[in-house]
Amino acid sequence: MSEAPFAYEGLDRLLHERARLGVLTSLAGNPRGLVFSDLKRLCALTDGNLARHLQALQEAGVVEVTKSVARGRPQTLCQITPEGRRRFLEYLAVLDQVVREAAAAAKAHPDEDALPGLAGA
Amino acid sequence: MSEAPFAYEGLDRLLHERARLGVLTSLAGNPRGLVFSDLKRLCALTDGNLARHLQALQEAGVVEVTKSVARGRPQTLCQITPEGRRRFLEYLAVLDQVVREAAAAAKAHPDEDALPGLAGA
């Protein structure tokens, strides 16, 4: 592992996608679930995009999607699962560490860029 | 924007890829640059994968790739540009905010999951 300190293998690939990050934050804050149309609006996603992400997350057991009929109209309820919440929190902890390390690296050498020492390295 | 609080449009798509995050952190911490083979090892990437990411980052002006000959052997030096460092720091600031919001959302309702209120919502 110390051979490749920047491989970030602990950074859960399934969750590390911008749209999925939004979907999971939305669902984590609404444990009783969100209907498809509200989730779509909150994350500014298209029907097709949201459906595709939900399918991937559902197959991994991270979210649960339940279709029902409410007041005569079909309704799709999306919820984060307990396993999904646990996995999301774990991912966020790793990401937090990555952000700190990256910010420290990026801030450490702000001046040397002016004269990139191509020949002098 | 408040219509879609979880769209995360400020989260720079070009940089928000696990491998690129590792590449940029490596380069940010080594302003004089890293040779291709060292960068590859630090990030545990294949030749093809690293080359592909570097090309995308170079086309966007985030990194600079310089080929030269050192001691009779061809050498590829990779550096983050000043613009790249600025953009990376901006991305990290947005990501930090996203992580905080998501962690707060995920931690706020840890117990309700035990009984997902499907019918009671």
Side-chain angles (χ1 to χ4, degrees), chain A residues 3-6 8-9 11 13 16-18 22 25-26 28-29 31 41-42 77 79 85 95 102 105-106 109 113 116 118, chain B residues 3-6 8 11 13 16-18 22 25-26 28-29 31 41-42 77 79 85 99 102 105-106 109 113 116 118:
Chain A
E3 265 283 282
F6 303 111
Y8 295 152
E9 277 163 23
L11 207 58
R13 267 239 148 102
H16 187 72
E17 199 279 335
R18 196 175 74 167
T25 303
S26 303
R41 182 182 50 77
L42 286 168
L77 188 74
Q79 289 179 294
R85 184 183 298 277
L95 187 57
H109 311 276
D113 284 324
L118 280 173
Chain B
E3 266 282 283
F6 302 111
Y8 296 150
L11 207 58
R13 266 236 150 105
H16 187 72
E17 200 278 334
R18 197 175 74 168
T25 302
S26 304
R41 181 181 50 76
L42 285 168
L77 187 75
Q79 289 177 293
R85 183 183 300 275
V99 169
H109 311 276
D113 283 323
L118 279 175

Side-chain angles (χ1 to χ4, degrees), chain A residues 2-13 15-19 21-23 25-26 28-32 41-44 53 64 66 77 79-82 85 88-89 91-93 95-96 98-103 105-110 112-118 120-121, chain B residues 2-13 15-19 21-23 25-26 28-32 41-44 53 64 66 77 79-82 85 88-89 91-93 95-96 98-103 105-110 112-118 120-121:
Chain A
S2 63
E3 265 283 282
F6 303 111
Y8 295 152
E9 277 163 23
L11 207 58
D12 197 330
R13 267 239 148 102
L15 313 185
H16 187 72
E17 199 279 335
R18 196 175 74 167
L21 207 45
V23 166
T25 303
S26 303
N30 293 278
R32 293 190 164 187
R41 182 182 50 77
L42 286 168
C43 301
H53 288 304
E64 195 171 67
T66 317
L77 188 74
Q79 289 179 294
I80 194 167
T81 64
R85 184 183 298 277
F88 189 43
L89 277 167
Y91 161 78
L92 289 172
L95 187 57
D96 186 52
V98 168
V99 169
R100 283 166 201 275
E101 281 174 20
K107 282 170 188 159
H109 311 276
E112 297 178 45
D113 284 324
L115 284 170
L118 280 173
Chain B
S2 61
E3 266 282 283
F6 302 111
Y8 296 150
E9 278 165 22
L11 207 58
D12 197 330
R13 266 236 150 105
L15 313 185
H16 187 72
E17 200 278 334
R18 197 175 74 168
L21 206 45
V23 166
T25 302
S26 304
N30 293 278
R32 293 191 165 189
R41 181 181 50 76
L42 285 168
C43 302
H53 288 304
E64 195 172 67
T66 316
L77 187 75
Q79 289 177 293
I80 192 166
T81 65
R85 183 183 300 275
F88 189 43
L89 278 168
Y91 160 79
L92 290 172
L95 187 57
D96 185 52
V98 167
V99 169
R100 284 165 201 271
E101 282 175 20
K107 282 170 188 160
H109 311 276
E112 297 177 44
D113 283 323
L115 285 168
L118 279 175

Side-chain angles (χ1 to χ4, degrees), chain B residues 47-82:
Chain B
D47 279 15
N49 245 326
L50 177 54
R52 206 161 38 82
H53 288 304
L54 284 174
Q55 193 182 344
L57 294 169
Q58 187 175 24
E59 278 166 12
V62 170
V63 306
E64 195 172 67
V65 178
T66 316
K67 289 174 195 282
S68 63
V69 178
R71 292 174 204 164
R73 294 182 58 191
Q75 182 183 267
T76 302
L77 187 75
C78 312
Q79 289 177 293
I80 192 166
T81 65

Side-chain angles (χ1 to χ4, degrees), chain A residues 45-56:
Chain A
L45 291 170
T46 61
D47 280 16
N49 245 325
L50 177 53
R52 205 159 40 82
H53 288 304
L54 284 174
Q55 194 182 342

